[in-house]
């Protein structure tokens, strides 16, 4: 540790408090009650915030009034997300730690420290709670901080401000490039399927094949372990959490509709249009929630359908809570395609080539974003072990 630095407990330097432990009455209009979930991305996020009466607001503020220069810190759930209060305060707090910062300390130095991997990783490890992790007020007060004199704190903050501004700019550019790459590919796909060429025709999916689904499986016919995976809408394309017996599987796939190897399965409930190619391995799929077009590939290749489904406007029916794709929705969707199977294969090869190049670009931009995040962590870590030796840190 550098000369002149001290190790102090947070409670020795800052007045550390927390918000209300009660559950105030919520009202339509009033004062916002900020909780841990409202601390996001260095800002207060008022989405989903609850409001309390003026009396409850004043009662909470008798103990935990938030002022300019204070630092807030999420104590429950996603621990961390510290923010410095730099605007007029019109809210009270709950499940949030409040650090009252004295005049001989820098608020942003504390904020950056609480945001460092040194703190977040240790607190995540020490946090208590089986279902929702939390750290207590006593724990926070006893947590140690390496503390230089105020001028050094201010120098470190200035370096970090400049470094993070450069990192944020570079990250924004990389994210925009990533988005541009994705949109360029989507635009290319849309052009393929919207511009009919010579020898192309337009049909509805209902004219291509019959919408199909597996026989209904009842709850008592499933188990948490077994021979044949049973994919429900929540595990479609993921890891199954239910199974059926081989006897039921053999009977139902023989007597009732069942996908052929290569058929494109579609989610028809919730998130509409998720796609899975059926690989022919033993598996069963939840009726009405997972469907497919029983396509014989005489008109359209399944691979062509798979790509078409990626940008298809499903126009599902809107239910009270979730969207659903009914057979009438599915069969009315129009698709354009070349009559020649050979031309379909040629188009698919071109799409695959463009997709490969797009994924290479996406990988490059995503790696750039990841590298910038790691750079940010590295800079923060160096700051609090006294290793920021230069006046500038530049994000490359």
């Amino acid at each position: 540790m550098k000369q002149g630095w001290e190790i102090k407990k947070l409670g020795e330097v800052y007045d550390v408090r927390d918000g209300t432990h009660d559950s105030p009455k919520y009202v339509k209009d009033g004062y916002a009650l900020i909780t841990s979930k409202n601390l996001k991305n260095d800002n207060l996020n008022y989405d989903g915030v609850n409001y309390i009466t003026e009396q409850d607001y004043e009662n909470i503020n008798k103990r935990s009034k938030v002022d300019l220069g204070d630092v807030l810190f999420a104590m429950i759930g996603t621990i961390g997300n510290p923010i410095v209060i730099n605007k007029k305060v019109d809210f009270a707090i709950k499940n949030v730690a409040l650090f009252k910062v004295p005049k001989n300390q820098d608020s942003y130095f504390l904020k950056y420290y609480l945001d460092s991997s040194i703190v977040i990783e240790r607190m995540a490890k020490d946090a208590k709670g089986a279902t929702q992790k939390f750290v207590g007020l006593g724990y926070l007060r006893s947590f140690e901080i390496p503390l230089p004199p105020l001028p050094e704190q201010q120098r470190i903050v200035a370096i970090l401000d400049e470094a993070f501004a450069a990192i944020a700019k570079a990250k924004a550019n990389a994210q925009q490039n990533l988005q541009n790459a994705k949109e360029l590919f989507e635009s290319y796909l849309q052009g393929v399927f919207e511009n009919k060429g010579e020898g192309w025709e337009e049909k509805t999916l209902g004219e291509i094949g019959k919408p199909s689904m597996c026989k209904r499986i009842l709850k008592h016919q499933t188990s948490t372990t077994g021979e044949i995976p049973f994919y429900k809408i929540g595990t479609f394309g993921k890891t199954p959490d239910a199974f059926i017996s081989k006897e039921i599987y053999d009977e139902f796939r023989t007597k009732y509709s069942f996908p052929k190897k290569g058929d494109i399965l579609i989610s028809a409930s919730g998130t509409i249009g998720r796609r899975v190619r059926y690989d022919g391995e033993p598996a069963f799929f939840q009726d009405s929630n997972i469907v497919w077009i029983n396509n014989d590939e005489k008109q359209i290749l399944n691979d062509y359908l798979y790509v078409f489904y990626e940008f298809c406007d499903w126009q599902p029916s809107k239910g009270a809570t979730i969207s659903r794709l009914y057979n009438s929705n599915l069969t009315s969707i129009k698709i354009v395609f070349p009559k020649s199977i050979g031309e379909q294969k040629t188009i698919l090869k071109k799409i695959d080539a463009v997709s490969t190049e797009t994924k290479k670009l996406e990988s490059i931009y995503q790696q750039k974003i990841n590298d910038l995040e790691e750079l940010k962590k590295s800079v923060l870590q160096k700051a609090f072990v006294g290793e920021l030796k230069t006046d500038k840190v530049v994000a490359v």
Side-chain angles (χ1 to χ4, degrees), residues 208-351:
I208 301 303
K210 178 184 176 182
S212 303
M213 66 186 73
C214 288
K215 172 70 173 175
R216 173 162 295 184
I217 294 292
L218 303 177
K219 187 175 182 181
H220 75 268
Q221 294 174 310
T222 68
S223 60
T224 55
T225 59
E227 301 170 274
I228 309 299
F230 175 52
Y231 291 94
K232 296 172 288 187
I233 192 64
T235 57
F236 182 54
K238 303 175 185 177
T239 303
D241 60 6
F243 298 82
I244 61 173
S245 69
K246 190 173 186 304
E247 289 76 16
I248 292 176
Y249 170 71
D250 287 338
E251 178 186 357
F252 283 15
R253 75 188 179 98
T254 303
K255 289 183 177 180
Y256 308 103
S257 59
F258 191 79
K260 305 183 301 294
K261 183 177 180 179
D263 280 341
I264 312 303
L265 306 175
I266 314 162
S267 60
S269 176
T271 303
I272 303 296
R274 285 186 289 129
R275 308 156 298 155
V276 169
R277 282 190 180 93
Y278 179 53
D279 58 10
E281 293 297 314
F284 214 76
F285 304 92
Q286 188 177 28
D287 69 294
S288 78
N289 285 334
I290 300 170
V291 300
W292 68 94
I293 291 291
N294 190 12
N295 178 35
D296 60 11
E297 294 194 281
K298 290 180 180 178
Q299 300 180 76
I300 298 180
L301 295 171
N302 280 329
D303 286 344
Y304 192 93
L305 281 179
Y306 184 85
V307 177
F308 170 73
Y309 288 163
E310 184 171 358
F311 83 97
C312 175
D313 181 5
W314 296 104
Q315 298 182 341
S317 298
K318 301 293 184 181
T321 55
I322 60 174
S323 298
R324 178 167 289 280
L325 187 67
Y326 293 103
N327 283 355
S328 58
N329 305 122
L330 185 59
T331 56
S332 63
I333 290 171
K334 293 180 179 180
I335 179 172
V336 294
F337 59 95
K339 294 179 182 179
S340 166
I341 295 295
E343 188 174 348
Q344 289 182 34
K345 290 179 179 179
T346 299
I347 290 171
L348 289 170
K349 285 182 181 179
K350 291 179 180 179
I351 290 174

Side-chain angles (χ1 to χ4, degrees), residues 4-5 38 53 109 175 195 242 257 270 273 287 296 298 360 379 396:
W5 288 48
N38 299 116
T53 64
F109 180 86
Q175 288 172 329
N195 300 315
S257 59
D287 69 294
D296 60 11
K298 290 180 180 178
K360 285 181 183 178
V379 171
V396 179

Side-chain angles (χ1 to χ4, degrees), residues 86 104 107 116 130 156 333:
N86 54 18
N104 63 342
S107 298
S116 69
I156 290 171
I333 290 171

Side-chain angles (χ1 to χ4, degrees), residues 146-195:
L147 209 62
L150 180 59
E152 179 67 3
Q153 291 183 34
Q154 293 169 335
R155 186 187 78 88
I156 290 171
V157 167
I159 294 173
L160 293 178
D161 282 347
E162 185 175 356
F164 290 170
I167 290 172
K169 182 177 180 180
K171 186 176 176 181
N173 289 338
Q175 288 172 329
Q176 185 60 56
N177 288 334
L178 177 60
Q179 184 63 30
N180 289 345
K182 291 179 179 178
E183 290 178 355
L184 184 63
F185 180 63
E186 290 172 1
S187 176
Y188 172 75
L189 276 185
Q190 192 167 352
V192 168
F193 292 107
E194 287 185 353
N195 300 315

